Structure formats: C-alpha cells, structure tokens
C-alpha cells in the first residue's frame, strides 16, 4: 500500500495512540524517540505495548514504531514492546547514518522475534551522504527525509524556501528511487497552515517523493489529497493498463495509447497512479 501520509503520535499518550487510526493516515507512527522525554521512556514503552496488545486495537493502516537510535536505547525499546510485535508492521530508525546502522537494527529486531521492514530516517549529513547504502539494505522499505535535524546537524538556517536542504532532499529521493524503496518527505512544522502544507507537499511530489510525514491529524487529509491523482491522470493510467493487457496477449512490449508510445517506464508510472488512486478505497 502507498505511504502517502506518515503521522506521528507520542508513545506516552495512549489515548492519542488509540485514536490515531481515525486520522486516516496510511502509516501511524508510535514515537518512542523525540516525542518522549528521557524520564518517561519506560512509561512510553509500556503504553505502546499495552495499545499494541489490546484486542480492540485493530487499525486498517500500517502501524510503525519509531525507536531510539541504534544502540542500547533501541534494544530497550524493542524489549519493552516485544509482546506487541505481532501488531507492528514496520519500525522507524532515527538518525540512520549508514547501512551498518540499518543492519544493526535488523539484528536487534530478529533477536526480539520481530521481522518487519525498516523506515530509515535520514536526518544527518552522514545519513544523506550514505543514503544509497542505507536504501540498499534488504529490510529497508523507505528512506524518510528529516530536514529539521539535518539543518541542526550542518548548522543551516531553516527558511520558507528550503534552499538550504534542497540538495539533501533531492539526494534522498534519488537514492530511494535507485534502490526501489519509498521516499517520505520531511515534516511541515506549522500544522495550522494548511495552504502552506499543500504547497510544500505538491513540491515534494514534483521532486519524486511518495509520501510526507505529518505531526498533527489535521495535516493528514491535505497530504492525502495532494498525493491522490487527478481524474485525468487516472483515466490515462486505466487506458494504459487496458492497452497493456491487449499488448501482452499479442506479445508486444511497446504499444500506443492516444498516439503516445508506451513502454516499461510509463507502464510503471500508470501502475503507481492506480495504486495511489485506490488508496482510499
């Protein structure tokens, strides 16, 4: 399924975690890292475990847990929520700086009998430079770009235009595409500015991103709408896929639709359009 919207919920707020699926996000992330103060980590792990093991918790979206960076804290996170591992669809790794970081998390997951994909958060200079090797790890399902932490790491000043992180933003999406994994764009921090969020999301789409992070339920709908293809694009994709079926029967690898020559890249584009068009169905 597409990961258009990836919404974070603090791991120490069980009432918010239980309500999170109602926001309509494709992915909900129970956050054990930045959203939880150091003195509340154990409490948050218990809260996440209790929600995950609750039979009444039965969301129809991807359930992800953001652990702390690879090391003792990540191991403590996984141990604390191990009883609810069956309810987890993915794990997000913050500050992923190398393929080794991702592979270390994979080993920890296996030690706790949790074999799920990784959403690797790339938010440091080293992480950006090593984005391709991170994406190449078999268990990596997505690269997630974090502009705020990256700016702090390199000493950049955040601007509305975002030129200070544009190179990194483009680099991450290219590394993800080269390795066949999703690319999830950075957060838009002003959750009250719906127009600004929509414009930012449209720009991310033009760059090639597959989804965007959300920090508030109010951001989910504008993000989902932005990633939903226009009816004209859906009509084109349907025509392409219908023509492909006929071409396959005739043994033709290339064919025409409304005068346009269609080959493998355009077929892949049509399939992606239909996947996103069907996301809310």
């Amino acid at each position: 399924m597409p990961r258009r919207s990836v919404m974070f919920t603090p791991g120490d707020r069980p009432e918010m975690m239980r309500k999170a699926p109602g926001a309509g996000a494709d992915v909900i992330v129970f956050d054990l890292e930045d959203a939880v103060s150091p003195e509340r980590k154990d409490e948050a792990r218990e809260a996440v475990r209790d929600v995950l093991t609750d039979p009444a918790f039965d969301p129809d979206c991807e359930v992800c847990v953001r652990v702390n960076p690879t090391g003792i804290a990540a191991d403590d996170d996984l141990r604390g929520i191990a009883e609810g591992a069956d309810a987890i669809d993915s794990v997000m790794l913050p500050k992923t700086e190398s393929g080794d970081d991702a592979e270390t998390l994979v080993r920890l997951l296996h030690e706790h009998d949790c074999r799920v994909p990784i959403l690797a958060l790339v938010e440091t200079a080293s992480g950006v430079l090593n984005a391709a090797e991170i994406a190449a790890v078999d268990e990596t399902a997505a690269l997630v770009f974090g502009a705020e932490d990256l700016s702090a790491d390199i000493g950049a000043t955040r601007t509305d235009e975002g030129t200070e992180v544009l190179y990194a933003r483009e680099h991450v999406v290219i590394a993800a595409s080269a390795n066949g994994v999703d690319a999830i764009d950075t957060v838009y921090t002003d959750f009250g500015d719906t127009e600004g969020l929509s414009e930012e999301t449209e720009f991310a789409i033009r760059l090639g991103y597959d989804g965007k992070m959300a920090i508030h339920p109010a951001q989910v709908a504008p993000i989902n709408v932005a990633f939903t293809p226009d009816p004209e694009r859906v009509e084109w994709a349907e025509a392409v896929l219908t023509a492909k079926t006929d071409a396959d029967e005739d043994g033709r690898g290339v064919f025409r639709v409304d005068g346009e020559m269609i080959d493998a890249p355009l077929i892949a584009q049509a399939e992606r359009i239909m996947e996103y068009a069907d996301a809310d169905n």
Side-chain angles (χ1 to χ4, degrees), residues 15 29 32-33 63 80 90 118 131 144 165-166 182 213 221 223 230:
E15 73 286 355
V29 183
L32 293 173
E33 194 217 9
V63 177
S90 58
I118 294 173
V144 186
V165 295
L166 182 57
D182 287 344
M213 292 188 285
I223 291 173
D230 293 333

Side-chain angles (χ1 to χ4, degrees), residues 134-262:
I134 295 168
V137 173
D138 288 345
E139 288 79 4
T140 299
L143 293 184
V144 186
F145 177 56
E148 305 306 319
D149 280 45
L150 175 65
S151 295
D153 186 49
I154 64 177
T157 300
R158 290 292 275 131
T159 64
D160 291 340
E161 295 78 16
T163 52
E164 68 283 355
V165 295
L166 182 57
Y167 164 77
R169 201 176 182 186
E170 293 175 327
H171 184 86
V172 169
V173 75
I174 289 171
S177 179
N179 287 277
V181 303
D182 287 344
I184 310 300
D185 190 40
T186 190
V187 300
Y188 187 75
T189 56
D190 186 354
F191 58 80
D193 181 9
T194 302
E195 182 177 350
L197 171 64
S198 296
E199 292 176 356
E200 171 104 340
T201 306
E202 292 288 355
F203 181 64
I205 293 170
R206 292 196 295 273
L207 290 179
Y209 276 89
D210 302 291
K212 189 169 182 65
M213 292 188 285
I215 56 173
H216 191 278
Q219 294 184 316
V220 171
I223 291 173
N224 284 350
V225 167
F227 276 99
T228 299
D230 293 333
E232 294 80 8
R233 294 294 288 162
V234 175
E235 184 177 353
W236 172 84
E238 289 175 334
V240 167
L241 296 180
T242 297
K244 178 182 181 301
T245 299
D246 295 337
D248 287 345
E249 292 177 354
D250 295 338
R252 291 179 287 118
V254 179
F255 53 91
R256 291 181 180 272
V257 172
D258 295 332
E260 179 182 22
M261 188 66 71
I262 304 297

